Amino acid sequence: MAGSRRRAGGGGAGRGEASPLRLIAIAAVLIGLVLVSLRLLPGSPMASTAAAQWGDASAPVDRAAGTASDRKSRPTASPSPSPTLEPLPFADKQIDLDIEGWYAWSVLDTRTGKIIGSKNMDETSTTASLIKSWIVADYLRRTDEQGQKPSDAKLADATRIIRDSDNTRAEQFYNTVGRSASIKRMISICKTTDSSPAADGGWSRTNLSPRDTARLGACIKDGRAAGPEWTKWLINEMRLVRGSGDFGIRKAFPAAEQKKIAIKNGWIDRTREQEMHINCLAIGDNWTMGVMVRYPINMGYEYGMKNCQKITEAVLRSGT
């Protein structure tokens, strides 16, 4: 009986149950099949490696990089074109006019900051009344910075200085803003490079170049000079310049446009130098301009006043 039980037990191991070695072999085969399936299954992390090894043309590829043909055929976003600015009414050219004495001009594009002008646009001359535009601007800005508002009487004085070029009131304002200290502020605030205060400290002999005159115009236009509270007021007053001071740059434009152009001019006979000094500042929609002329004193004011206009006309684009 005991022998029979041993044979039954031995027979059971051979027929009824799998041996441990057979189970291990079966498991290994199953695992192998699973791994193969994963390598061939689309989207599997192992699929691209397998396809690369086996040369499967249908294998997944790096969709971000793509093939060379993919990159050629794939539409690409075109860069947005930069907006084209409308040309200024002035041409960047040198002019040679039949004008007695010295002259120079400069235009600043207030959209880009680009400056064009004559080759001598950095040479200086005395400003005469042109500098009154800065003196009034400096007074208005400093008054506002101090938390104050100019009285009606002071604003009336400022109007007379700008529209009528009143010398007596200009001298009073110049004293109020510190005389040559005001010109030094202009140099700092308006980033002028050629300017300097007068040796005698007076406003009339402030030295400015046509290039710096255009920079002063830009400084007034963008609010640095008079400050945010008074810039619009000042520019409007400069559009209303009248009488003997209404000449030069804006006269070169059609009548309808002249009303939109702000100006401040200067004119004086320099007996020491025996010269006339005539200067013009203008502020347009997207530009500022400075023109300066010097010539023998015996030729009178009108000669220089007309030449400010003549120089402007010479550098205007045709059709303006």
Side-chain angles (χ1 to χ4, degrees), residues 26-40:
I26 292 169
V29 170
L30 292 174
I31 290 171
L33 290 172
V34 169
L35 291 175
V36 170
S37 299
L38 287 174
R39 291 164 70 89
L40 297 178

Side-chain angles (χ1 to χ4, degrees), residues 198-212:
D200 63 4
W203 52 265
S204 177
R205 282 189 174 271
T206 299
N207 293 288
L208 218 60
S209 65
R211 177 170 66 180
D212 278 353

Side-chain angles (χ1 to χ4, degrees), residues 2 10 13 37 41 54 86 112 120 149 152 186 190 240 243 250 275 291 297 299 307 319:
S37 299
L41 183 66
W54 295 352
E86 181 181 351
T112 65
N120 60 345
K149 182 177 179 180
D152 290 343
M186 179 197 71
C190 299
L240 298 173
R250 74 177 175 189
E275 292 177 336
V291 179
I297 196 169
M299 299 182 74
N307 280 330

Side-chain angles (χ1 to χ4, degrees), residues 228-248:
E229 182 68 22
W230 292 102
T231 293
K232 186 176 180 180
W233 184 91
L234 177 58
I235 291 176
N236 185 64
E237 291 298 311
M238 293 173 69
R239 289 187 179 123
L240 298 173
V241 168
R242 59 199 173 190
S244 57
D246 184 11
F247 63 87

Side-chain angles (χ1 to χ4, degrees), residues 53-83:
Q53 291 175 344
W54 295 352
D56 184 352
S58 63
V61 296
D62 183 350
R63 297 302 178 190
T67 64
S69 60
D70 286 340
R71 289 192 294 272
K72 289 180 182 178
S73 61
R74 184 184 303 154
T76 56
S78 300
S80 300
S82 300

Side-chain angles (χ1 to χ4, degrees), residues 31-295:
I31 290 171
L33 290 172
V34 169
L35 291 175
V36 170
S37 299
L38 287 174
R39 291 164 70 89
L40 297 178
L41 183 66
S44 166
M46 302 174 66
S48 59
T49 304
Q53 291 175 344
W54 295 352
D56 184 352
S58 63
V61 296
D62 183 350
R63 297 302 178 190
T67 64
S69 60
D70 286 340
R71 289 192 294 272
K72 289 180 182 178
S73 61
R74 184 184 303 154
T76 56
S78 300
S80 300
S82 300
T84 301
L85 295 177
E86 181 181 351
L88 293 180
F90 306 94
D92 185 2
K93 65 180 181 180
Q94 297 303 310
I95 56 175
D96 185 10
L97 304 177
D98 183 18
I99 293 177
E100 187 76 21
W102 171 92
Y103 66 90
W105 65 277
S106 184
V107 169
L108 186 150
D109 187 332
T110 55
R111 302 165 300 181
T112 65
K114 181 181 178 182
I115 296 176
I116 60 173
S118 56
K119 291 180 179 178
N120 60 345
M121 64 180 173
D122 61 339
E123 296 178 14
T124 63
S125 191
T126 65
T127 62
S129 293
L130 183 151
I131 199 64
K132 292 172 183 174
S133 59
W134 166 257
I135 294 170
V136 171
D138 196 29
Y139 168 79
L140 293 171
R141 188 195 69 261
R142 284 165 58 81
T143 300
D144 186 58
E145 288 173 350
Q146 294 165 6
Q148 301 174 3
K149 182 177 179 180
S151 65
D152 290 343
K154 281 295 183 183
L155 286 178
D157 286 345
T159 290
R160 292 285 299 276
I161 293 170
I162 298 298
R163 296 191 197 183
D164 303 314
S165 210
D166 187 291
N167 287 336
T168 300
R169 289 172 172 82
E171 183 70 18
Q172 294 170 352
F173 271 54
Y174 194 54
N175 287 330
T176 299
V177 295
R179 300 186 68 79
S180 60
S182 176
I183 305 305
K184 292 176 182 178
R185 281 193 295 273
M186 179 197 71
I187 294 170
S188 175
I189 292 172
C190 299
K191 309 299 181 187
T192 59
T193 57
D194 315 315
S195 312
S196 61
D200 63 4
W203 52 265
S204 177
R205 282 189 174 271
T206 299
N207 293 288
L208 218 60
S209 65
R211 177 170 66 180
D212 278 353
T213 300
R215 287 170 173 155
L216 171 58
C219 191
I220 292 171
K221 179 178 174 63
D222 66 22
R224 284 174 290 158
E229 182 68 22
W230 292 102
T231 293
K232 186 176 180 180
W233 184 91
L234 177 58
I235 291 176
N236 185 64
E237 291 298 311
M238 293 173 69
R239 289 187 179 123
L240 298 173
V241 168
R242 59 199 173 190
S244 57
D246 184 11
F247 63 87
I249 296 170
R250 74 177 175 189
K251 294 294 186 180
F253 288 81
E257 290 186 48
Q258 291 182 27
K259 300 175 183 178
K260 305 174 185 177
I261 298 174
I263 64 169
K264 190 72 191 86
N265 297 320
W267 61 103
I268 194 167
D269 52 340
R270 296 289 184 202
T271 55
R272 185 193 309 171
E273 295 88 350
Q274 285 296 291
E275 292 177 336
M276 301 295 300
H277 290 198
I278 311 294
N279 312 295
C280 299
L281 163 65
I283 302 172
D285 287 340
N286 49 26
W287 55 268
T288 60
M289 186 176 192
V291 179
M292 305 182 103
V293 298
R294 290 195 305 264
Y295 53 92

